[in-house]
Amino acid sequence: MTLPDGLSRQIMSSTRIVHAARGVRVYDHGEPPGGIYRVVSGVVAVMSWDETPLIGHLLGPGSWFGETSALTRQPRSVTTMALTEARLAYLPLPVIEEIADMQPDLWRGLAALSAANSMIAVQTAHDLMLTRPEDRVSAVLRRLGDSLGRDTPIPLSQEQLADMCVLSRGAVSRILSRLESAGKVRRGYREIWWLG
């Protein structure tokens, strides 16, 4: 999710750019509280905190994340990982506090961001409660397509999509074939375009 444009521009000048190679964790569930990140380029996966974390959602350029820990000073509540090579703008917690001393609206912006990201979590849960497998796959792809932008491929393998949809890889492959025949998706190597 994004912060309001004016607030984003104000704080971007205080960020530092960090590079994350594909597969590198940005932070893990349970880590101490820290700052917030903005995806400058690439795709970041938001993952569960199981022994073998599963992807729940994807964030593309313009999306901010990590705000819950910054707001609550509680440990990180999810794991995040660069799903592709990524450039991230990082705003450390002490800098957030300095900016907020001068611009108290920052806290309201972070709270709004947290509420919006919570709605994505609710939508993710809703998608997984759809009982018809084809509806579930379509809902997950629609959410990811909306998050990344319709012109951006969703960088998932069929196996990763199957895990996200709690289905077998074979079932997802058959569903994608039907969706592709209907003109709703286009498949590539480890990527899917949602055409809706």
Side-chain angles (χ1 to χ4, degrees):
M1 194 62 203
T2 60
L3 283 171
D5 286 342
L7 188 54
S8 266
R9 281 192 301 272
Q10 288 173 356
I11 65 177
M12 276 300 289
S13 62
S14 299
T15 63
R16 63 181 167 88
I17 299 296
V18 294
H19 297 269
R22 182 178 181 271
V24 168
R25 301 245 177 121
V26 180
Y27 56 76
D28 276 308
H29 168 264
E31 282 186 11
I36 62 173
Y37 294 84
R38 181 179 191 261
V39 182
V40 176
S41 65
V43 176
V44 171
V46 180
M47 306 171 74
S48 65
W49 55 83
D50 307 300
E51 188 173 315
T52 306
L54 298 175
I55 299 170
H57 190 62
L58 301 179
L59 303 170
S63 296
W64 288 91
F65 63 99
E67 76 289 338
T68 300
S69 179
L71 282 166
T72 64
R73 304 304 197 274
Q74 296 297 309
R76 299 291 190 182
S77 57
V78 295
T79 293
T80 56
M81 179 188 77
L83 195 59
T84 66
E85 186 168 328
R87 287 176 61 237
L88 308 173
Y90 177 60
L91 191 66
L93 196 49
V95 178
I96 292 172
E97 291 170 342
E98 287 173 19
I99 294 172
D101 284 344
M102 296 177 290
Q103 309 240 358
D105 277 354
L106 176 59
W107 295 122
R108 183 179 298 133
L110 292 180
L113 176 63
S114 184
N117 282 340
S118 292
M119 289 308 300
I120 292 171
V122 170
Q123 184 63 50
T124 301
H126 173 269
D127 293 348
L128 295 178
M129 289 189 280
L130 295 171
T131 55
R132 188 168 171 262
E134 192 158 324
D135 292 342
R136 194 180 319 154
V137 171
S138 293
V140 168
L141 289 174
R142 183 179 303 109
R143 173 170 44 82
L144 298 178
D146 289 345
S147 177
L148 299 180
R150 293 298 172 104
D151 297 329
T152 303
I154 300 165
L156 291 174
S157 67
Q158 290 186 31
E159 186 172 350
Q160 288 170 317
L161 178 61
D163 287 343
M164 286 183 76
C165 296
V166 196
L167 293 168
S168 71
R169 187 186 182 286
V172 164
S173 181
R174 290 188 295 274
I175 290 167
L176 287 175
S177 291
R178 290 194 296 271
L179 291 172
E180 194 165 33
S181 295
K184 294 185 175 182
V185 301
R186 187 171 83 239
R187 290 183 283 182
Y189 176 68
R190 294 185 67 88
E191 58 188 19
I192 304 162
W193 281 262
W194 172 251
L195 308 175

